[in-house]
Amino acid sequence: MLHPLSDDRPEADSPIRASERDAEHPHPSAWLPFRHRVFRDLWIAQFVSNVGTWMQTVGAVWVMLELKGSPTFVALVATASSLPTVFLGVAGGALADLLDRRRLLLVTQTLMLAAAGALAALDASGGLTPSSLLALTFALGVGAALNGPAWQAIQPELVPREEFPQAVTLGGASINLGRALGPALGGFILAVAEPWLVFALNALSFGAVVVVLWRWRREPDEADGPAERFAGAVRAGVRYALFSHSLTGVLVRAGSFSVASAGLMALLPVYSKDVLGLGSGGLGLLLAGFGGAALIAAALLPRVRALLGQDAVV
């Protein structure tokens, strides 16, 4: 039976109550945010969606390998998935500031559900072509680009302020777990069934997030609403990024890493099939290796960061 989620929204604590809880939990548990039902349900739904997304990644590149063995077309799958973030990331942040975030998330998750469902239907009917695969992958990328800022912005609403660091850690664990399990599961399904099943399961994973968001009765924030126009919000974001020295440094580092690593991820499927002679299962395990290593790195990172410092780690 589904229960409404509105009664579990964390309330602001008085200094006395916060200090009492700090005394009870001098070293807060990493699992503390799971006490809050909205956070817990959204975390589970998002984990399922992360698994589905990585299954989709394996399925899309494998279908393109079979439809069009050209490395260019296989690399275009990664381009179609990532390019919307480059052009729509700032717009997504502006929309997250101007619109009701829950409704925006419902729209973006539904868009991605529809795109994944269309991929499943076309592949099952034998009508999937390289062009339609790229177009629907691009649609999934558009949904992800507009979804990301709003998803990050709602996290402080789900847990009390003092539990936010643990919530961020758990969010990262969800991404890395999905990255470790999704490709391996997707490769296995491709080995024993047809690609349309991978796409259909990804669509269902978005459906899980839609259900939880629909049940969440978010209390409107007083700041919600069109306090400024969309174009003005985008200009303000771009201007801040260009003239903030600290943010510019972060963007340069992130951009350099992304450019250097993009080719590896884009062409790994071709190398896996043509050079290593692996099937879909082997490709899934190769991609899962990134997620598994990320989990190990996440466990070691606090000690390494304490030893070397943040800048040295980067």
Side-chain angles (χ1 to χ4, degrees), residues 54 57 61 74-75 78 179 260-270 287 290:
W54 281 99
T57 299
V61 295
V74 175
R179 193 178 182 184
S261 61
L264 170 64
M265 297 300 294
L267 295 176
L268 183 62
V270 178
L287 291 173
F290 288 97

Side-chain angles (χ1 to χ4, degrees), residues 243-276:
F243 293 99
S244 171
H245 295 295
S246 58
L247 185 57
T248 300
V250 173
L251 292 174
V252 169
R253 290 180 177 186
S256 301
F257 177 83
S258 298
V259 169
S261 61
L264 170 64
M265 297 300 294
L267 295 176
L268 183 62
V270 178
Y271 187 84
S272 170
K273 183 178 181 181
D274 293 350
V275 179
L276 301 181

Side-chain angles (χ1 to χ4, degrees), residues 184-226:
L185 184 58
F188 173 77
I189 293 175
L190 287 172
V192 299
E194 297 296 324
W196 67 264
L197 181 57
V198 171
F199 302 143
L201 290 174
N202 187 37
L204 289 176
S205 75
F206 292 123
V209 182
V210 169
V211 169
V212 177
L213 287 170
W214 185 264
R215 293 169 56 209
W216 177 30
R217 296 297 177 259
R218 175 180 182 255
E219 296 181 10
D221 188 9
E222 293 181 357
D224 284 351

Side-chain angles (χ1 to χ4, degrees), residues 38-120:
V38 180
F39 176 85
R40 182 175 64 248
D41 290 353
L42 281 174
W43 189 94
I44 294 172
Q46 183 65 5
F47 169 67
V48 172
S49 183
N50 286 332
V51 172
T53 296
W54 281 99
M55 289 170 55
Q56 161 84 32
T57 299
V58 177
V61 295
W62 191 255
V63 168
M64 186 61 83
L65 277 170
E66 294 185 333
L67 291 174
K68 207 91 170 175
S70 166
T72 300
F73 275 86
V74 175
L76 281 176
V77 175
T79 302
S81 177
S82 304
L83 199 61
T85 301
V86 177
F87 291 106
L88 298 177
V90 176
L95 290 175
D97 285 337
L98 299 178
L99 302 177
D100 181 277
R101 290 162 186 164
R102 172 180 167 272
R103 294 180 180 178
L104 177 59
L105 289 171
L106 282 170
V107 171
T108 57
Q109 293 288 329
T110 302
L111 169 63
M112 291 186 284
L113 187 158
L119 277 171

Side-chain angles (χ1 to χ4, degrees), residues 156-203:
E157 303 179 36
L158 306 179
V159 297
R161 180 178 300 176
E162 61 270 17
E163 296 177 17
F164 188 60
Q166 290 89 344
V168 172
T169 300
L170 289 172
S174 170
I175 295 172
N176 288 329
L177 281 171
R179 193 178 182 184
L181 296 176
L185 184 58
F188 173 77
I189 293 175
L190 287 172
V192 299
E194 297 296 324
W196 67 264
L197 181 57
V198 171
F199 302 143
L201 290 174
N202 187 37

